[in-house]
Amino acid sequence: MKKIILSFVFLTTCLLSLPVFSQIENEPVALGLPGDNLNLYAVLDIFQKSKTLEEFERAINSKDRNINNLDLNNDNLIDYIRVVSYRDGDSYSIVLRVAINRSEDQDVAVIEVNKNRYGKIVVQIIGDEELYGEDYIVEPNSENTFGTLNPGYAGNERVFSDTYWNGVFYVNDWPIIINLFSPSFVIYTSPWYWGYYPYYWRPWTPIYYYNYWGYHSYYYRNPFYRRTGYVRYPLSYSYYSSRRTSSPIVRRNRINDTYRRTYEGRTFRRPETPVLPRTREAIPRTRQGNSPGTRPGQINEPRTRQSMPRTRQENAPGNHQPIPRNRQENAPANRSVQPTAPRNYQPMERDRQENTPANRQSMPRRDNPNRSGDRR
């Protein structure tokens, strides 16, 4: 009887705790920045399922998908997101850009696609600092244990070489990646601009963030994508950074908290920041922890270096002392012959002095008779 009662109490406690856990899991999280209204997890998922950049641009601006909820120019209408691509060798930068007015643009995010020397392709989407803060990066998750990103895709490969590249996911079989690296691909730049948009585009009023989170909450909990805190190819990203476009209007609106009205005055908890494998705090700990075990030679190194000056000091006096003594002993012997040199040179100077006037005086005497003879 007691066992039945205890089991009943345990089951009741578990059932009562389930709503609490589900409420915490479904509670919206927000950066408190304009980027909360464009879910980069959903953008990367649309990118993976698209075949071309034109199709990708149309999908992220579709009202039916509820992905774009940005109103950066604060006109109470959704902004159209343009797609602009750049290429640098085997690297592509797919930029999401919004026209604030006729003269100003603002970059929202950039999708970095890089092929390494082994032909493997890595993709990351990096949010702009003005909209997402620093180091807001989303990438495919290779540690997915619930299946692949696409049921028809079976090319997920994992690499566990070190901490920095732990769990990298290669995307060679994505349809849009195949199109990017095909010989027929042409760099795509959206033809639309401020006041001139495609026929299917009809801007709508943005929704509040709480409702927007309801459409995309499952993206943050899915095992297909994950947030990381570092760029895998900084050199390629720097190529885009020199072409980054920002708007003073967006910066001013962010500083003045103009975009906070989308939260309806609510305060949401912040999302968890990913643990960085390579930070200034982690690097010293890694070196101190691994050096005694993996590199025992580093501990003995100072000892060998300290012994080297001792051998030099002991050998240096022994090697250098005989040299000055030999020089001092040999120097007088060599220099004793030197005083004879002036004695040999002095008669030569006297001969030159004695013969020179004689020659100079005799020369005019020989010349004068000839000159007088010529005159005659």
Side-chain angles (χ1 to χ4, degrees):
M1 186 67 181
K2 292 182 180 180
K3 293 182 179 180
I4 297 175
I5 295 174
L6 291 175
S7 60
F8 178 76
V9 172
F10 178 76
L11 291 174
T12 305
T13 305
C14 293
L15 292 175
L16 292 175
S17 61
L18 284 176
V20 177
F21 288 111
S22 62
Q23 184 177 1
I24 295 175
E25 186 179 1
N26 295 325
E27 181 183 355
V29 295
L31 295 169
L33 296 171
D36 286 329
N37 291 288
L38 184 66
N39 184 359
L40 295 188
Y41 290 82
V43 172
L44 189 58
D45 184 61
I46 295 298
F47 182 78
Q48 183 260 332
K49 296 175 181 178
S50 302
K51 296 180 180 179
T52 62
L53 293 180
E54 294 90 342
E55 181 182 341
F56 169 65
E57 180 178 351
R58 182 168 182 169
I60 60 177
N61 288 293
S62 175
K63 183 179 179 180
D64 298 334
R65 296 180 180 268
N66 292 312
I67 295 177
N68 184 8
N69 196 46
L70 288 175
D71 181 18
L72 298 181
N73 56 1
N74 198 28
D75 61 352
N76 203 30
L77 291 175
I78 293 297
D79 301 326
Y80 184 83
I81 301 177
R82 302 165 53 233
V83 174
V84 180
S85 60
Y86 299 101
R87 182 176 183 177
D88 182 24
D90 288 335
S91 300
Y92 286 92
S93 297
I94 314 300
V95 184
L96 309 184
R97 186 168 292 168
V98 169
I100 306 301
N101 52 34
R102 295 184 182 275
S103 58
E104 294 185 13
D105 294 335
Q106 173 63 51
D107 287 357
V108 178
V110 56
I111 301 176
E112 288 291 325
V113 181
N114 296 277
K115 179 189 289 187
N116 61 19
R117 59 181 179 176
Y118 302 107
K120 303 299 183 180
I121 302 173
V122 179
V123 63
Q124 286 184 316
I125 183 169
I126 306 170
D128 192 84
E129 293 183 3
E130 289 291 338
L131 278 69
Y132 297 89
E134 296 182 357
D135 300 330
Y136 191 92
I137 306 168
V138 179
E139 66 180 7
N141 185 14
S142 68
E143 298 177 359
N144 170 27
T145 57
F146 299 95
T148 59
L149 300 178
N150 191 341
Y153 170 73
N156 55 330
E157 303 178 33
R158 305 180 186 180
V159 172
F160 298 93
S161 55
D162 56 13
T163 307
Y164 185 80
W165 289 99
N166 189 13
V168 63
F169 190 98
Y170 298 120
V171 296
N172 294 57
D173 293 342
W174 285 12
I176 196 168
I177 298 299
I178 296 175
N179 183 31
L180 286 175
F181 288 92
S182 65
S184 60
F185 176 76
V186 179
I187 293 297
Y188 175 76
T189 300
S190 178
W192 317 114
Y193 52 89
W194 173 263
Y196 181 70
Y197 299 110
Y199 66 91
Y200 59 82
W201 169 252
R202 295 291 184 272
W204 61 92
T205 304
I207 61 177
Y208 289 111
Y209 177 73
Y210 185 85
N211 298 325
Y212 181 78
W213 168 266
Y215 291 121
H216 299 278
S217 59
Y218 67 95
Y219 279 109
Y220 297 96
R221 298 190 305 270
N222 72 67
F224 303 141
Y225 305 99
R226 66 179 180 184
R227 183 183 168 190
T228 184
Y230 53 89
V231 179
R232 294 193 181 274
Y233 290 87
L235 185 60
S236 301
Y237 181 65
S238 64
Y239 178 82
Y240 154 74
S241 299
S242 61
R243 292 159 176 78
R244 174 179 174 266
T245 303
S246 60
S247 170
I249 295 177
V250 175
R251 187 180 301 107
R252 183 170 59 251
N253 290 341
R254 181 180 58 81
I255 295 174
N256 296 333
D257 291 336
T258 304
Y259 302 117
R260 293 195 62 83
R261 66 178 184 177
T262 187
Y263 304 117
E264 299 179 282
R266 302 183 184 182
T267 301
F268 301 97
R269 64 186 180 93
R270 296 292 181 89
E272 296 180 0
T273 304
V275 179
L276 302 180
R278 280 191 173 184
T279 57
R280 294 179 179 178
E281 297 179 359
I283 289 175
R285 295 177 183 176
T286 306
R287 290 179 177 177
Q288 291 177 2
N290 296 337
S291 57
T294 58
R295 296 182 179 179
Q298 289 184 356
I299 302 177
N300 298 328
E301 233 177 84
R303 297 180 181 179
T304 54
R305 290 180 179 177
Q306 291 179 1
S307 59
M308 288 174 66
R310 295 179 181 177
T311 55
R312 290 179 181 177
Q313 292 178 1
E314 292 174 359
N315 298 332
N319 295 332
H320 290 288
Q321 286 179 2
I323 294 174
R325 292 177 183 177
N326 295 333
R327 290 179 180 176
Q328 292 177 1
E329 293 174 359
N330 298 331
N334 297 331
R335 291 179 182 175
S336 59
V337 185
Q338 292 180 1
T340 59
R343 295 178 184 177
N344 296 330
Y345 290 117
Q346 287 178 1
M348 293 176 66
E349 294 179 359
R350 291 177 183 176
D351 295 337
R352 289 179 182 177
Q353 292 177 0
E354 293 175 358
N355 297 331
T356 304
N359 296 331
R360 290 181 180 176
Q361 291 177 2
S362 60
M363 292 289 290
R365 293 177 183 177
R366 294 177 182 177
D367 295 338
N368 289 334
N370 296 332
R371 290 181 182 177
S372 60
D374 294 337
R375 290 178 182 176
R376 290 177 185 179

